[in-house]
Amino acid sequence: MRTDTGQVFHLEDYKPTDFLIPETHLDFCLRPERTVVRSTLQIKRRNGVAADAPLILDGDELKLVDIRIDGTVLGDNAYVATPDRLEIRGLPENGTFTLEITTEVNPTTNRQLTGLYRSSDVYCTQCEAEGFRRITYFLDRPDMLSVYTVRIEAERSEAPLLLSNGNPKDKGTLTNGRHFAVWHDPHPKPAYLFALVAGDLGVITDTFTTASGRHIDLGIYVEHGKEPRALYAMDALKRSMKWDEDVFGREYDLDVFNVVAVSDFNMGAMENKGLNVFNDKYVLADPDTATDTDYAGIEAVIAHEYFHNWTGNRITCRDWFQLCLKEGLTVYRDHEFSADMRSRAVKRIAEVKGLKAHQFPEDAGPLAHPVRPRQFREINNFYTSTVYEKGSEVVRMIRTILGPDLFRKGMDLYFERHDGDAATIEDFIKVFEDASGEDLSQFALWYDQAGTPNLAITYDYDQATKTFEIEIEQSLKPTPGQTSKKPMHIPVQFALLGAKGRELKPRSAKGGLVKGDVIHLRKRKERFSFSGISERPVPSLLRGFSAPVTLTSELTRSDLAFLARNDGDEVTRWQALTQLLNAKLTSNSKRVRGGKPATIENSSIKLLGEIAFNATLDEAFRALCLSIPSESDIARELGANIDPDAILGSRDALISAVAEAHAEKFAQAYNELEQKGSFKPDAAGAGRRALRNVLLDYLSVAESSSKRAAAQFKNADNMTDRAAALGVLVQRFGDSEATNHALQAFEARFGNDPLVMDKWFVVQAMQPGNGALDKVRELMTHKLFSLDNPNRTRALIGAFSSGNQTGFNRADGRGYKFFAETILTIDKKNPQLAARLLTAMRSWRSFEPVRREHARESLATIAMETGLSADVRDIVERTLA
Ligand SMILES: [Zn+2]
């Protein structure tokens, strides 16, 4: 394990390497406990580099067995090898030579799940960001592009399947029951995209014909017996390939494309060239075992990894500071794909909810960092919501600012100009400037300034001159390392709504820049004046959530209710409703904390009822509106002095009031929405189930009875309805007989299916209140629980710490104490996983003083531990700073 060296890496320090590695040959002799890797590198010193410059290669826990240059074994004086570094001096004068390095690794004991490891008897690799150096010594950095040829040899009975990147070139039988395969990838790539998979797996195959008529063989490899559950992933893959041709003009470039699902995986999936390796959670689905959310997740992740082939693989990052260049852009592309496959508005609202739930708190806390960070201690800790989700928002804003045609022109130029490059954010911005003639230098601040900008908005309507004025003031709070901030270029999409939501078209706009339906805010404070407005309008601002900002606007409750009823843009419509509800939920939470009862006025209840029964709105949208802000949404709105118990009280009071007021009509709708015909994982079916399951929760509250949920659980013919019913039982009826009965039935039926059992662990980890901690402790001793498996650990420990507001953030601090102990245990096995889980405590300073002090003590306990991994050390110190 890499313990912390305290070394900080800076963007400004980037320097190209002294040497190039145009070709890499890898020869793997696979054995579970003793795998021998022989790497043959064609090395070339760059022009202008001194002849005595040493070659320094990266390693991590490596054991060197043999080292040769041009076939000659190196003497002991010619090199220094430690587990994490190999330095060679006295290199051939002309600077061009062949370096052969033999190392030995143990895939079985590798529980960090980076480098080469075994998962359920399958050999697999994970190299991003710095896992390749756990396989062999190398210049392990993204700008070191090399053409790879890989030979894999293994026991045929143990590993009939031998896969690597690129196209298959050769295979054959050896003596002693062993066999081999050779793969060649003609596209130069960085080491983080290398992959190898060997094992005994089942497969489904299909083909895809590209726009230019090339024939691609597709394979998805899964555990034997699970092949039918990979059919949806295959369908999503083919749709992704077609979509990237249609929308971005990008065609696939190898003869084969393989996806392998493994059950032990730190991330969601990995875009290795031609050989994607997936967490099986994002491959396997059928109606009986997967929810609508799982189906949507599979579609999105399959698309995401496939789209990386162009944005990430063909054009990669110069250094890890540029991570958002591939991730933000590819997230944007997968969002657009899902929007085209499903309902665009519903998809966008889900994105906004996700951004606010994960990225906004990151931006507001001690772990805040720019979309492109300028320094890091451990790159694994920067696979964050800011780099991914906010990175995607930045790309979306470029499209909003330039319009779709110039955006596409810029993207085409990016592919044309940088294909085969390791590029930077500056390169990316430049293509859009060149394609459009616009100056995007102020806009580029979005990559450099951390924090969520706030827009304070005031309005003024003058009936006499028929003029409507909007004044916007932007502000951005200090974040770690950035005390003063510059004004940004923020695109605010808008409409001015008259009676019944009719859009009023201004005759002209004066003041700041307005183009079409976009206000371009560029100064700290700007006025925009619209003439020819015949009635006082209600402004609909930030349509489509056109920028990742918060709004402080002087809209009245009745303006917000008007927007919630009439706005033609469903995103702002949902946003207005949320703002109305949040105002009530936060003020009630303060009342409950002060010992007073929550108050609910009839207008909110009436509004939610109207939306619930408005048949002109699609069911998925209605379900989103009826799912009132979550406990953590309310906590985020409050921002400080948070008491999770008071928040729960406030939220439950609103749910009860709405449930009681509409119980009869909700029951009728619940019955009408019952699924007719067989399950289809499409958007329409998912929307109906989502709405019906929200109603189930309201009805269970209104009826104070578990009967309806228990019946739905028993009769459900799909996992979406079954899991939703189980969730209601655990959330609303805790340790009741009905709940325990359902949990037992679920375990009896799905005990052999790890992905389904993850749901069983999650639902129990989320039980509100003080009982949850004992439940979690008890579940850690369950025969199916293991800290070795990231999915299972995330299901129990992750759900508890990041999802269970009242159970985890207990006033007595026992939740934090337990968490600190558990993090220290996980850190010894899998530092990346431990560090990721620990970010659940990033908002600790926003709690009320008693919880805050308990949280600080637990974080300090972790920080005091000696021998912490670099990953956890980095997170805990930044969180406490
Ligand atoms: Zn990605």
Side-chain angles (χ1 to χ4, degrees):
M1 187 175 85
R2 254 190 298 178
T3 49
D4 188 46
T5 58
Q7 191 182 357
V8 179
F9 300 89
H10 296 272
L11 170 60
E12 287 72 21
D13 295 344
Y14 173 82
K15 260 183 32 208
T17 53
D18 288 347
F19 295 87
L20 297 168
I21 311 178
E23 273 182 61
T24 299
H25 286 248
L26 298 171
D27 197 329
F28 286 84
C29 185
L30 294 174
R31 288 200 168 82
E33 268 144 36
R34 223 186 112 244
T35 286
V36 175
V37 185
R38 201 175 77 229
S39 153
T40 309
L41 310 175
Q42 302 305 324
I43 298 198
K44 211 172 163 303
R45 190 166 54 224
R46 272 187 213 265
N47 291 335
V49 172
D52 62 350
L55 173 63
I56 299 168
L57 301 180
D58 308 297
D60 184 3
E61 294 190 323
L62 285 179
K63 185 173 157 195
L64 180 68
V65 177
D66 187 79
I67 177 164
R68 293 158 198 250
I69 284 186
D70 294 330
T72 308
V73 177
L74 285 194
D76 286 351
N77 297 332
Y79 68 94
V80 182
T82 65
D84 52 11
R85 194 168 181 273
L86 174 62
E87 177 171 341
I88 311 168
R89 293 192 173 270
L91 296 164
E93 198 84 354
N94 69 3
T96 302
F97 55 94
T98 303
L99 174 64
E100 251 178 275
I101 301 170
T102 307
T103 50
E104 201 183 286
V105 295
N106 185 339
T108 302
T109 54
N110 180 359
R111 293 323 298 167
Q112 292 188 34
L113 314 185
T114 73
L116 174 68
Y117 65 97
R118 301 230 311 158
S119 162
S120 312
D121 297 333
V122 175
Y123 295 90
C124 69
T125 55
Q126 168 59 33
C127 292
E128 187 177 2
E130 297 178 337
F132 190 74
R133 63 184 65 181
R134 293 170 57 75
I135 296 171
T136 182
Y137 293 100
F138 201 74
L139 286 169
D140 187 8
R141 41 188 280 172
D143 61 348
M144 187 45 47
L145 308 184
S146 188
V147 171
Y148 284 69
T149 305
V150 179
R151 183 181 179 280
I152 312 166
E153 184 200 310
E155 205 84 35
R156 189 191 284 277
S157 59
E158 184 194 43
L161 175 74
L162 305 172
L163 299 176
S164 190
N165 315 90
N167 297 322
K169 281 289 159 223
D170 194 10
K171 60 180 176 183
T173 303
L174 301 163
T175 52
N176 305 331
R178 292 180 75 81
H179 72 145
F180 75 95
V182 178
W183 291 78
H184 176 73
D185 180 3
H187 301 279
K189 65 168 176 289
Y192 81 85
L193 291 172
F194 164 79
L196 170 158
V197 173
D200 188 2
L201 291 166
V203 64
I204 61 163
T205 59
D206 207 326
T207 59
F208 181 81
T209 306
T210 68
S212 69
R214 289 179 45 254
H215 182 89
I216 318 291
D217 286 320
L218 310 176
I220 299 185
Y221 294 86
V222 297
E223 249 174 58
H224 285 293
K226 292 186 176 169
E227 294 88 345
R229 284 165 72 181
L231 289 169
Y232 184 76
M234 182 62 89
D235 175 55
L237 174 60
K238 290 169 71 179
R239 283 185 282 124
S240 307
M241 295 177 88
K242 177 79 170 66
W243 185 90
D244 212 16
E245 292 181 347
D246 293 347
V247 178
F248 281 92
R250 297 298 107 195
E251 206 174 283
Y252 187 63
D253 54 9
L254 290 166
D255 304 337
V256 297
F257 187 80
N258 288 319
V259 171
V260 179
V262 299
S263 50
D264 299 292
F265 205 69
N266 276 344
M267 323 276 267
M270 179 64 212
E271 70 262 25
N272 317 298
K273 183 81 187 187
L275 177 57
N276 286 186
V277 177
F278 269 61
N279 187 326
D280 57 3
K281 176 178 164 54
Y282 291 110
V283 172
L284 301 175
D286 63 21
D288 208 35
T289 56
T291 62
D292 288 317
T293 310
D294 295 329
Y295 277 100
I298 289 168
E299 183 178 73
V301 179
I302 285 275
H304 178 95
E305 305 308 333
Y306 174 73
F307 296 157
H308 266 315
N309 192 53
W310 275 94
T311 50
N313 300 4
R314 293 283 291 242
I315 306 177
T316 191
C317 306
R318 188 193 70 173
D319 52 68
W320 289 122
F321 297 100
Q322 321 292 332
L323 184 57
C324 63
L325 179 70
K326 75 176 180 79
E327 293 306 341
L329 177 55
T330 306
V331 169
Y332 170 74
R333 278 151 52 71
D334 85 56
H335 282 176
E336 283 298 299
F337 168 74
S338 296
D340 283 346
M341 298 295 125
R342 291 156 185 264
S343 149
R344 184 161 279 271
V346 167
K347 167 69 183 148
R348 186 65 186 142
I349 294 169
E351 284 161 24
V352 175
K353 280 179 82 143
L355 190 78
K356 291 187 172 192
H358 305 294
Q359 201 279 323
F360 280 22
E362 190 163 86
D363 250 351
L367 300 181
H369 57 273
V371 171
R372 179 175 63 179
R374 299 193 84 86
Q375 61 175 60
F376 62 74
R377 270 162 77 174
E378 179 51 66
I379 185 57
N380 289 328
N381 289 337
F382 282 86
Y383 287 74
T384 59
S385 184
T386 298
V387 168
Y388 278 66
E389 314 301 334
K390 190 175 177 183
S392 161
E393 293 299 320
V394 176
V395 177
R396 177 178 300 277
M397 284 189 286
I398 296 177
R399 188 177 187 273
T400 304
I401 287 171
L402 299 183
D405 295 343
L406 289 174
F407 176 76
R408 173 67 198 266
K409 202 174 150 201
M411 284 302 301
D412 287 348
L413 186 57
Y414 179 63
F415 293 124
E416 184 193 314
R417 188 181 282 175
H418 293 291
D419 187 14
D421 278 1
T424 62
I425 288 301
E426 282 73 15
D427 295 331
F428 185 64
I429 297 279
K430 187 79 170 49
V431 295
F432 294 105
E433 290 188 324
D434 290 352
S436 68
E438 299 273 342
D439 175 0
L440 294 174
S441 52
Q442 186 189 11
F443 178 80
L445 285 172
W446 278 103
Y447 284 104
D448 286 329
Q449 296 196 145
T452 306
N454 181 259
L455 307 186
I457 305 174
T458 52
Y459 311 100
D460 194 14
Y461 179 62
D462 185 343
Q463 179 75 62
T465 59
K466 298 191 174 14
T467 305
F468 185 66
E469 288 199 337
I470 303 179
E471 186 175 82
I472 311 182
E473 183 172 5
Q474 57 170 304
S475 61
L476 187 51
K477 286 187 184 145
T479 49
Q482 295 182 335
T483 44
S484 72
K485 315 259 186 175
K486 295 181 189 139
M488 319 247 268
H489 180 176
I490 301 175
V492 181
Q493 212 161 339
F494 78 107
L496 304 178
L497 304 184
K500 292 186 183 153
R502 186 173 56 91
E503 282 188 30
L504 307 173
K505 291 288 168 212
R507 198 163 49 232
S508 70
K510 281 198 208 116
L513 180 67
V514 178
K515 280 193 210 166
D517 63 350
V518 180
I519 290 172
H520 292 258
L521 178 66
R522 292 176 300 181
K523 295 184 184 145
R524 204 168 292 281
K525 194 172 184 177
E526 257 179 307
R527 271 181 105 76
F528 303 86
S529 172
F530 302 93
S531 63
I533 305 296
S534 53
E535 55 183 299
R536 179 194 172 272
V538 178
S540 163
L541 293 185
L542 212 63
R543 293 191 131 195
F545 203 70
S546 61
V549 299
T550 52
L551 294 184
T552 317
S553 120
E554 57 176 10
L555 289 183
T556 61
R557 288 186 63 81
S558 79
D559 288 338
L560 290 171
F562 173 85
L563 291 173
R565 286 194 173 90
N566 299 301
D567 200 327
D569 180 297
E570 281 176 313
V571 180
T572 30
R573 189 170 187 171
W574 167 81
Q575 183 70 36
L577 174 71
T578 303
Q579 206 179 325
L580 259 181
L581 297 177
N582 268 334
K584 194 70 225 166
L585 288 162
T586 51
S587 72
N588 267 338
S589 145
K590 287 176 191 157
R591 286 179 62 89
V592 173
R593 179 153 170 74
K596 290 180 227 141
T599 60
I600 316 286
E601 69 285 83
N602 283 327
S603 59
S604 302
I605 296 174
K606 190 163 167 261
L607 181 56
L608 279 166
E610 276 177 41
I611 291 170
F613 308 119
N614 185 342
T616 66
L617 299 169
D618 82 33
E619 281 103 351
F621 178 75
R622 287 189 265 158
L624 281 168
C625 292
L626 283 178
S627 312
I628 64 166
S630 70
E631 291 157 64
S632 51
D633 290 333
I634 303 165
R636 190 184 63 246
E637 289 299 317
L638 281 163
N641 215 21
I642 289 161
D643 175 347
D645 296 321
I647 288 175
L648 181 64
S650 161
R651 188 169 186 272
D652 279 350
L654 177 60
I655 290 176
S656 293
V658 174
E660 275 158 33
H662 301 297
E664 216 171 298
K665 285 179 88 175
F666 279 2
Q668 194 189 334
Y670 176 84
N671 292 332
E672 284 167 7
L673 285 163
E674 195 176 359
Q675 178 186 310
K676 294 176 186 77
S678 63
F679 178 94
K680 275 204 201 78
D682 60 356
R688 260 196 316 282
R689 284 183 286 277
L691 181 55
R692 187 164 187 263
N693 286 325
V694 180
L695 295 177
L696 173 68
D697 186 45
Y698 280 108
L699 287 166
S700 301
V701 170
E703 292 158 359
S704 302
S705 160
S706 60
K707 272 205 185 112
R708 196 182 283 268
Q712 176 171 320
F713 177 83
K714 191 160 165 268
N715 301 326
D717 69 349
N718 65 78
M719 185 51 78
T720 306
D721 291 340
R722 189 180 296 122
L726 189 62
V728 170
L729 287 169
V730 173
Q731 287 282 315
R732 301 283 172 211
F733 305 98
D735 279 325
S736 69
E737 210 187 302
T739 305
N740 290 330
H741 183 76
L743 285 168
Q744 280 159 19
F746 194 98
E747 186 187 1
R749 178 159 175 193
F750 297 107
N752 292 326
D753 194 317
L755 286 178
V756 183
M757 283 306 285
D758 284 339
K759 300 180 196 306
W760 185 83
F761 281 95
V762 169
V763 77
Q764 296 184 77
M766 300 284 279
Q767 180 181 320
N770 278 352
L773 177 59
D774 289 339
K775 174 81 63 178
V776 170
R777 280 189 186 282
E778 184 194 317
L779 286 170
M780 282 182 79
T781 65
H782 192 281
K783 64 178 188 297
L784 293 177
F785 186 79
S786 162
L787 288 175
D788 280 350
N789 178 261
N791 283 357
R792 187 56 44 89
T793 305
R794 282 187 284 256
L796 188 62
I797 310 300
F800 176 61
S801 57
S802 66
N804 191 336
Q805 295 298 309
T806 50
F808 177 59
N809 303 297
R810 291 162 59 124
D812 63 8
R814 282 183 54 209
Y816 303 139
K817 227 172 155 175
F818 156 80
F819 187 57
E821 290 159 16
T822 311
I823 288 294
L824 291 175
T825 310
I826 299 169
D827 191 39
K828 293 196 170 64
K829 295 169 186 282
N830 188 335
Q832 277 188 33
L833 178 63
R836 199 66 54 91
L837 290 169
L838 183 55
T839 61
M841 292 192 73
R842 66 187 168 200
S843 301
W844 67 278
R845 279 196 182 86
S846 55
F847 284 97
E848 49 76 30
V850 173
R851 286 175 172 87
R852 201 187 311 154
E853 182 50 24
H854 285 308
R856 195 199 56 74
E857 273 172 24
S858 292
L859 285 164
T861 311
I862 298 174
M864 272 181 317
E865 185 82 3
T866 50
L868 276 188
S869 67
D871 310 59
V872 167
R873 170 72 59 205
D874 173 44
I875 294 288
V876 74
E877 288 187 357
R878 281 196 285 144
T879 306
L880 279 168

